[in-house]
Amino acid sequence: MKNTTNMKIPAKYQPMLDEVTRDSDGYWAYSNKGYMFDEMGCHTASEDTQAALMAVIRSLVPCDCKECVTS
Ligand SMILES: [Zn+2]
């Protein structure tokens, strides 16, 4: 997992995440293949604050969508 923020990501979620980063729009998280953010219903999460992004990260669930299965 690549993490360009100063967020502490619990070890439990690290294997499920590809990248956690931030830009002028806020904080972003990208799930690894096989997982998705249940709260967002997709593989990319964007929030204004670290706390909000962390809440979405905690919603990570296994995903078997076409995109996860075929690539
Ligand atoms: Zn998927």
Side-chain angles (χ1 to χ4, degrees), residues 48-67:
D48 292 338
T49 66
Q50 293 189 1
L53 189 67
M54 201 56 235
V56 178
I57 287 172
R58 287 197 193 94
S59 79
L60 276 164
V61 291
C63 181
D64 60 358
C65 76
K66 199 175 172 191
E67 192 183 324

Side-chain angles (χ1 to χ4, degrees), residues 8-27:
K8 292 256 192 299
I9 308 297
K12 173 184 173 183
Y13 299 111
Q14 291 181 16
M16 307 179 195
L17 289 164
D18 178 43
E19 186 172 2
V20 179
T21 187
R22 73 170 300 183
D23 65 14
S24 53
D25 290 329
Y27 292 88

